[in-house]
Amino acid sequence: MMLIWDPPIVANLMFCIIILVMGIWIYKKTKNKLPLYFGIALGFFGISHVAAILGLATDLAYPLLVTRVIGYLIFIYIVYKYLKP
C-alpha cells in the first residue's frame, strides 16, 4: 500500500478531524445536537480523505460514494432542523 500525501487531501482531513472534535466538544458543553451532527457529517467526509491518502479511493469507489451521500444527508438534516420553526 502506497500513501499519497496530496496536500489538499491532507489539509481537508485535518479540518474534518478538527470540526469533528469541535462538534463533540460543543455538544458536551451545550447539549445542542446540531454541532454534533455537523461534526459527524464532516467525519464521514474524512473517511473518504483517509481512503484517498491510503491509495484506496479507486478500489472503494462505491462504498465511499455511500459514505459521502450519508454525509450530505446529515447536512440536509441539519439545515432542515435549523430552518424548522
Side-chain angles (χ1 to χ4, degrees), residues 3-80:
L3 295 179
I4 301 169
W5 293 103
D6 185 23
I9 295 173
V10 173
N12 284 334
L13 175 60
M14 298 302 287
F15 286 121
C16 286
I17 292 169
I18 290 168
I19 293 169
L20 173 62
V21 170
M22 289 178 69
I24 294 168
W25 180 48
I26 293 169
Y27 170 72
K28 285 185 175 185
K29 288 187 81 162
T30 66
K31 299 302 179 197
N32 183 352
K33 292 182 183 177
L34 290 182
L36 176 63
Y37 295 153
F38 191 80
I40 291 170
L42 267 291
F44 276 103
F45 290 114
I47 292 169
S48 66
H49 299 314
V50 169
I53 290 170
L54 295 177
L56 300 172
T58 53
D59 295 336
L60 298 174
Y62 291 113
L64 292 176
L65 173 64
V66 172
T67 302
R68 290 183 191 119
V69 166
I70 291 170
Y72 282 116
L73 289 174
I74 294 171
F75 275 120
I76 291 168
Y77 177 75
I78 292 168
V79 172
Y80 168 76

